[in-house]
Amino acid sequence: MTSFIPGPHLLDSPRGRDWPRLPAAPAPGREPVPPRRADVVIVGAGPAGLAVASALWHHGVRDIVVFDRGGKPCGRFFDRVDLLGQRVLRSPYEHHPGVEGYRDCELLDFARLHWGRLTPIERREVRMSQAGHRSVVPLDVFEAYCDHLVDTHRIAEKTWRDTVRDVLPAATDVTVRADRATVTARHVVLCPGEERREAPVEWWGGGAAPPGVTYWDERVPPLGGRQVVVGAGLTSAHLITNALAAGREVHWVVREPGERYQCADVNSKFFRPEGRARIGSVGWSDRLGLMAEFRRASIMFEFRPQLERAEAEGRLVVHRGDAITSVAAGAGGTAVLRLAGGRRVSGDSAVLALGTTPETGRGLLPEEVVGERDGWPELDERTLTYAYAPLVSVVGAAAGMVLGPAARNIDGHRVATARVAGAIARSLRGDAPAATPARAKVGAGV
């Protein structure tokens, strides 16, 4: 059997190009805080929140308020990937935050419209997508496309920079309390995304990391000639290649037996309707098994040649298959990691890329409303509303036990958005009951 490994040249696309913007619509006078009432409040303006707001626009639902910590749609998403020096998306052209079921401008359309701004390699990837093959999307194109969605669906004028503290469901509405404003809405959609996974308490006793140790979403100090990277996913690959490019020796701690390389972050079978049906056709314990099997760290194939070459040359030392027992500061501010096999790995700095955890609504919604079980909320499988708060929906990784591993992916956001936006629009039009009566108490789940 012959395997095709795409070259690392696909990882390099220009960043920061000047993309044309649509003429700005006349901005209505806007108060410093949002209105006290709205049809829909969206919590989070990342790719998922952008998809929901765009879809509601097509349904004619324009009375919306979007709360976001940074205040700029998708701003946090791009800040994070730029911190890693990431230049391309892992998702192909057909995965984008556009709207299912409407003839919106899609990501591939957008790239073709700006053909003259693309490099020869980027144009080849567009042709690959048109031919039905896997394609690599430049991050620059994706950001410009997100800006296009913001402009065409008037999302910026509906977005307020604020941090939501509480989402309080009642029988006929939901109150959203943020630091500077309170809004009562007929429906709320949570799009909180995922947060970094913290190190196990036993590594250093919890709390702040020891000196010399940082997480992947923090700026890595450019110190010394040796860097340790802990993790097995795409973030680790970016951190390693950045350090190698800076001339550092890198020690890579992969706690699993070995690295996994695959095109997308989720097995492609779960992007298709039959893959989602597979999740929906089995019980809770089987779903947990599928999520554990297929929601695992992996790296784009494009990184494989350069990582293997660096290891062969001795610039990259890979420690496979050993758990970490402790992380501590060593002499001179170095970071020291002890492994279960007795080995000791040290570096001038260590970066932890331990993955992410879905934001389920815990901390925003009352705990009994989330109905959390094994780390997952209990949701209505048709509408993705919370079983105990049917006016509150969720789009993103937290819908994984309904939509499968792809719920965290941009394409999974579109699938979830189609269900959520359609159900909200029908309710607001009076075509469906405003809400299914909430269950009286947390039940057994699926």
Side-chain angles (χ1 to χ4, degrees), residues 12 38 76-77 131 196-197 204 214 235 238 319 336 338 348-349 359 370 414:
D12 295 323
R76 186 168 180 243
F77 174 86
R196 72 183 187 201
R197 189 182 298 278
W204 63 72
T214 57
T235 298
H238 281 294
H319 307 270
V336 180
R338 296 189 182 276
D348 297 290
S349 64
E359 290 287 298
V370 178
R414 278 201 305 147

Side-chain angles (χ1 to χ4, degrees), residues 242-291:
N242 292 343
L244 291 172
R248 300 189 188 114
E249 176 189 336
V250 181
H251 283 249
W252 184 13
V253 180
V254 182
R255 292 171 293 164
E256 296 187 3
E259 312 91 291
R260 296 175 65 247
Y261 293 94
Q262 63 184 36
C263 294
D265 60 341
V266 172
N267 190 296
S268 61
K269 69 179 71 175
F270 291 104
F271 294 131
R272 297 188 289 267
E274 58 268 27
R276 294 191 292 273
R278 181 182 178 188
I279 288 285
S281 65
V282 298
W284 187 264
S285 61
D286 289 329
R287 295 187 195 199
L288 286 174
L290 288 170
M291 292 295 285

Side-chain angles (χ1 to χ4, degrees), residues 119-163:
T119 68
I121 291 173
E122 292 170 342
R123 293 176 184 179
R124 179 182 177 275
E125 291 302 297
V126 168
R127 294 190 184 101
M128 292 286 284
S129 179
Q130 289 178 295
H133 300 298
R134 175 181 177 266
S135 56
V136 173
V137 180
L139 189 67
D140 218 48
V141 172
F142 182 70
E143 182 175 26
Y145 175 72
C146 289
D147 288 341
H148 169 81
L149 289 181
V150 170
D151 291 343
T152 54
H153 301 96
R154 308 288 294 272
I155 295 170
E157 65 191 55
K158 304 289 187 181
T159 303
W160 273 263
R161 181 175 183 174
D162 211 341
T163 299

Side-chain angles (χ1 to χ4, degrees), residues 8 21 40 53 63 66 69 73 121 166 225 232 245 257 280 283 286 288 294 300 311 324 335 359 380 385 387 400 432:
R21 298 289 297 263
V40 183
D63 182 18
V66 183
R69 280 178 284 180
I121 291 173
D166 296 293
D286 289 329
L288 286 174
F294 291 105
M300 289 173 68
E311 185 177 9
I324 296 173
E359 290 287 298
D380 183 290
T385 57

Side-chain angles (χ1 to χ4, degrees), residues 176-187:
V176 179
R177 294 198 303 213
D179 284 342
R180 294 188 294 274
T182 297
V183 181
T184 300
R186 296 170 68 183
H187 294 271

Side-chain angles (χ1 to χ4, degrees), residues 43-109:
V43 180
L50 180 59
V52 173
S54 300
L56 290 172
W57 188 92
H58 281 280
H59 279 288
V61 179
R62 311 291 168 84
D63 182 18
I64 69 172
V65 167
V66 183
F67 281 122
D68 186 78
R69 280 178 284 180
K72 183 181 186 301
C74 293
R76 186 168 180 243
F77 174 86
F78 290 108
D79 286 346
R80 279 177 152 186
V81 294
D82 280 337
L83 192 62
L84 297 171
Q86 184 172 336
R87 297 298 188 91
V88 299
L89 283 184
R90 195 170 190 175
S91 300
Y93 269 103
E94 57 267 31
H95 295 180
H96 58 86
V99 182
E100 281 193 339
Y102 294 87
R103 294 306 303 164
D104 216 342
C105 176
E106 298 185 353
L107 181 56
L108 185 60
D109 301 325

